[in-house]
Amino acid sequence: MCMILLVDQDDVLADFELGFLSKWREMYPDKPYVPLEERTTFYIRENYPKELEPLVDSVYSSPGFYRSILPMQGGPEAVKEIERKGHKVFICTSPLSRFEDCVLEKYLWVEEHLGREWTKRMILTSDKTLVHGDILIDDRPEIKGVCKPVWEHVLYTHSYNKQITSKRRLTWQNWKEILNI
Amino acid sequence: MCMILLVDQDDVLADFELGFLSKWREMYPDKPYVPLEERTTFYIRENYPKELEPLVDSVYSSPGFYRSILPMQGGPEAVKEIERKGHKVFICTSPLSRFEDCVLEKYLWVEEHLGREWTKRMILTSDKTLVHGDILIDDRPEIKGVCKPVWEHVLYTHSYNKQITSKRRLTWQNWKEILNI
């Protein structure tokens, strides 16, 4: 059976967490940082002292930051394999509210790491409940919006979503056993 | 009843046809042009001689072209009125395949003509059949994709879609009588 898989971009295909931490330490070497395995909140800024929030935001808005993010290990290969198995994959991503900093770079990132054809598979939306699919692979603990979603939310495992026990979860290291597709 | 209306951007909210024609005549004053009322194809380039195709494309890719497009008369006011009536409006738009030329400017256009909050209502997708809604207002004669859409496609009337008789159609001058919401 052909399934439609919606795959989130940040921290599912693109290693946003690592990109942020690398850039943070490069830009602000004298400031404290939160190691990846100690991150506990979905939004990075919530794990940093309030007074550092403008600095945290300045990392996202550095020109070229988004494009410099590395792929999640195994991510691009996994979505291409899912396609080869006859399913349809769409990249379903919510822009930062400062859209200026990321919208075009999100497309350029996909072109660079998956190929230009994949830019046609991108769906940019702040509300993922409006998008039809069988499965949404996303690292955000809870996904809300105006609709009752038709997809099953499968969590992409990160340290900051470990508390969620009500959903199936995977990484690109074990997706084949979990999804069984 | 609260409805979800998906509203296309180009030639429904933004007067792409007029924007193209104005820019074309400005850039290529010695070339022939097709007046708006004589346009018969959805894609502008198909109404122009084959040898002019690179010039047609050069209009779209002029930096700032997309942002310079004027709103369709009554469009921004109509979607705001639909919202005030308690419905939800999302701007559902497909980027040009040369996404570099339009993606960011589509967001900036919405910010300028509807307000920054409306950028959160944008859905960028090449496949609108994946998006859930009650009605899609769109000028494209036929809308295809991987899903059987749940929305009703209501045509936004232009000279190049007049041949379609199987769908309801409207403009921002008569939408209240047609939609009856």
Side-chain angles (χ1 to χ4, degrees):
Chain A
M1 191 188 70
C2 168
M3 291 172 74
I4 295 173
L5 278 86
L6 308 174
V7 180
D8 180 33
Q9 188 167 0
D10 297 348
D11 287 318
V12 175
L13 286 172
D15 201 339
F16 190 93
E17 284 280 320
L18 180 65
F20 172 82
L21 185 58
S22 308
K23 190 80 182 170
W24 174 261
R25 296 189 63 183
E26 179 193 319
M27 287 174 75
Y28 305 109
D30 301 330
K31 301 290 179 196
Y33 67 90
V34 182
L36 297 181
E37 62 279 12
E38 293 176 23
R39 287 265 299 104
T40 56
T41 58
F42 178 73
Y43 291 108
I44 290 174
R45 70 165 66 84
E46 293 174 1
N47 256 175
Y48 280 73
K50 183 79 181 161
E51 66 271 20
L52 295 180
E53 201 171 297
L55 302 190
V56 170
D57 289 345
S58 75
V59 171
Y60 308 145
S61 46
S62 314
F65 163 66
Y66 202 93
R67 280 191 81 175
S68 74
I69 295 174
L70 294 171
M72 294 286 287
Q73 196 176 16
E77 298 78 6
V79 294
K80 288 182 177 183
E81 187 168 343
I82 293 168
E83 280 270 325
R84 280 197 301 274
K85 287 171 183 276
H87 305 289
K88 291 278 179 202
V89 177
F90 292 88
I91 300 165
C92 190
T93 180
S94 299
L96 306 173
S97 54
R98 285 180 50 100
F99 63 82
E100 298 88 338
D101 303 331
C102 71
V103 163
L104 179 57
E105 291 199 24
K106 274 180 177 283
Y107 277 81
L108 293 168
W109 190 95
V110 168
E111 179 179 32
E112 181 170 346
H113 294 286
L114 284 154
R116 190 163 178 98
E117 274 303 301
W118 279 81
T119 61
K120 294 183 187 154
R121 299 302 189 85
M122 295 181 73
I123 304 172
L124 268 66
T125 178
S126 299
D127 187 336
K128 297 185 184 180
T129 69
L130 285 162
V131 186
H132 180 88
D134 297 289
I135 286 173
L136 168 66
I137 300 173
D138 205 300
D139 62 311
R140 183 187 287 258
E142 298 291 344
I143 295 172
K144 299 214 165 98
V146 298
C147 290
K148 186 176 178 328
V150 296
W151 32 255
E152 174 194 355
H153 176 198
V154 176
L155 266 174
Y156 193 95
T157 296
H158 280 280
S159 59
Y160 49 82
N161 64 29
K162 284 205 170 127
Q163 76 283 9
I164 306 289
T165 55
S166 56
K167 295 173 184 175
R168 293 201 292 168
R169 53 169 70 244
L170 56 68
T171 67
W172 297 127
Q173 280 62 61
N174 68 4
W175 67 273
K176 290 184 199 181
E177 302 98 83
I178 305 296
L179 294 184
N180 197 24
I181 58 176
Chain B
M1 191 188 72
C2 168
M3 291 172 74
I4 295 173
L5 277 86
L6 309 174
V7 179
D8 179 33
Q9 189 167 0
D10 297 347
D11 287 320
V12 175
L13 286 171
D15 201 340
F16 191 93
E17 284 279 322
L18 180 65
F20 172 82
L21 185 59
S22 308
K23 191 79 182 170
W24 173 262
R25 294 189 63 184
E26 179 193 319
M27 289 174 75
Y28 305 108
D30 301 331
K31 299 290 180 195
Y33 68 90
V34 181
L36 297 180
E37 63 279 13
E38 292 176 21
R39 287 265 300 105
T40 55
T41 58
F42 178 73
Y43 291 108
I44 292 174
R45 71 165 66 83
E46 294 174 2
N47 256 174
Y48 279 73
K50 184 78 180 160
E51 65 271 20
L52 296 180
E53 200 171 299
L55 302 190
V56 170
D57 289 346
S58 76
V59 171
Y60 308 144
S61 46
S62 316
F65 163 66
Y66 202 92
R67 279 190 82 176
S68 74
I69 294 175
L70 295 170
M72 294 287 286
Q73 195 176 16
E77 298 78 7
V79 294
K80 288 183 175 181
E81 187 168 344
I82 293 168
E83 281 270 324
R84 280 197 302 275
K85 286 171 183 276
H87 305 290
K88 291 278 180 203
V89 177
F90 292 88
I91 300 166
C92 189
T93 181
S94 300
L96 306 173
S97 53
R98 285 180 51 101
F99 62 81
E100 298 89 338
D101 303 330
C102 71
V103 163
L104 179 57
E105 291 200 24
K106 273 178 178 287
Y107 277 80
L108 294 168
W109 190 94
V110 167
E111 179 180 32
E112 181 170 345
H113 293 287
L114 285 154
R116 190 162 178 98
E117 274 304 299
W118 279 81
T119 61
K120 294 182 186 153
R121 299 303 188 84
M122 294 181 75
I123 304 173
L124 267 65
T125 177
S126 299
D127 187 336
K128 297 185 184 181
T129 68
L130 284 161
V131 185
H132 179 88
D134 297 290
I135 286 173
L136 167 66
I137 299 172
D138 204 301
D139 63 310
R140 185 187 286 259
E142 300 289 343
I143 296 173
K144 299 212 166 100
V146 298
C147 290
K148 186 176 176 330
V150 296
W151 32 254
E152 175 195 354
H153 175 198
V154 176
L155 266 174
Y156 192 94
T157 297
H158 279 281
S159 58
Y160 49 82
N161 64 31
K162 284 205 170 128
Q163 76 284 10
I164 305 290
T165 56
S166 55
K167 294 173 183 173
R168 292 203 291 167
R169 54 169 68 244
L170 57 67
T171 67
W172 297 126
Q173 280 61 60
N174 69 3
W175 67 273
K176 290 184 198 180
E177 300 99 83
I178 304 296
L179 293 184
N180 197 24
I181 56 175

